[in-house]
Amino acid sequence: MSTHIQIVPDSLALAGAGADWLAHRITRKPDLTILVATGQTPMGMYGHLAARVQAGTLDCSRVTAVQLDEYMGLEPDDPRSLRGWMERAFVFPLGIRNVVPLDDPATFTARLRDLGGLDVAVLGLGPNGHLGFNEPPSSPDAPTREVTLTPESLESNRGYWDGLAVPTQAITAGMDVILAAHETLLLVSGTHKQAILGAALDGPQTPDVPASFLRRTALTVLADREARP
Ligand code: PGA
């Protein structure tokens, strides 16, 4: 497939360029089905999109948002719920009415099949090369499933929750779902992602770096100069 790498000066530019990329696709196909990453990296982009919706220049009312990953064992109103984060950062501010939550692998897989799969996957890059919570090693055909988080993911997720413990078990949309998206957007920011982005783009395609398999898709990488000097 094709890999297009766009380097921007900094995380602010990343947010604007990411919003342009996705808004263009929503305008072209208003009922776009989008896999939605949480994490720090896409937050600026989501903020830009919300501003466009508020200004009346973008309509997301027919978009379907698909949840990428979730911790297990939380009450629905737990502040650490990734569904809650996706709703606060993306679904509600963009006026999206259709959501496919990730609560049960079988139900999620059936609903996605009924929708005809993903148009677009918006992804961040884990410090260990994970996509969603497809932790290394994850093969390209790994299905939507329950996983145990690696120490690297527990450590990076700790930064999200202000002292609250990070659950050790999670559910992730499978590699099979992600790699079947018609297009993928990988957002990468900061020096701490430089080495793993290099491995994903320039190294072998290997289950040890799940993001390396994105090169099999129609991939756009949007990285700032700290991540891709
Ligand atoms: P981040 O997380 O955007 O907060 O760096 C990315 C990830 O762990 O997938």
Side-chain angles (χ1 to χ4, degrees):
M1 279 290 211
S2 62
T3 299
H4 173 68
I5 304 175
Q6 185 181 347
I7 312 295
V8 294
D10 53 28
S11 58
L12 277 180
L14 190 92
D20 286 346
W21 188 94
L22 192 60
H24 176 67
R25 282 154 180 81
I26 294 169
T27 303
R28 208 170 51 194
K29 185 174 187 295
D31 61 346
L32 206 69
T33 300
I34 307 172
L35 188 69
V36 181
T38 49
Q40 294 301 346
T41 316
M43 291 304 131
M45 165 182 161
Y46 297 166
H48 266 263
L49 290 166
R52 293 178 197 195
V53 169
Q54 268 160 29
T57 56
L58 178 69
D59 179 5
C60 296
S61 58
R62 292 175 57 205
V63 162
T64 297
V66 180
Q67 188 178 352
L68 172 62
D69 45 19
E70 184 58 284
Y71 302 121
M72 289 179 64
L74 300 182
E75 296 298 323
D77 59 353
D78 190 292
R80 294 164 293 180
S81 157
L82 295 179
R83 179 175 179 179
W85 192 357
M86 175 184 73
E87 288 174 344
R88 289 189 300 277
F90 192 82
V91 172
F92 298 152
L94 271 61
I96 291 171
R97 295 194 285 248
N98 305 313
V99 175
V100 178
L102 179 48
D103 34 27
D104 165 69
T107 310
F108 177 84
T109 303
R111 282 194 68 184
L112 256 190
R113 195 184 316 115
D114 290 348
L115 281 168
L118 297 168
D119 291 311
V120 165
V122 175
L123 301 163
L125 177 63
N128 57 357
H130 74 202
L131 295 175
F133 284 136
N134 288 284
E135 301 282 36
S138 284
S139 60
D141 59 357
T144 299
R145 65 203 185 284
E146 298 178 4
V147 295
T148 300
L149 296 184
T150 58
E152 291 97 325
S153 295
L154 292 173
E155 182 54 36
S156 68
N157 281 224
R158 228 181 298 284
Y160 302 153
W161 308 119
D162 200 21
L164 292 176
V166 180
T168 57
Q169 303 298 120
I171 307 183
T172 185
M175 291 294 288
D176 57 352
V177 167
I178 294 172
L179 297 177
H182 291 152
E183 288 187 278
T184 49
L185 176 65
L186 181 69
L187 298 161
V188 194
S189 173
T191 47
H192 63 300
K193 297 285 177 73
Q194 204 181 101
I196 193 65
L197 180 59
L201 293 182
D202 311 320
Q205 292 186 27
T206 165
D208 294 333
V209 183
S212 64
F213 293 119
L214 288 177
R215 280 143 59 198
R216 298 180 174 188
T217 70
L219 171 64
T220 299
V221 180
L222 200 46
D224 65 17
R225 280 211 191 98
E226 287 190 347
R228 189 79 170 171

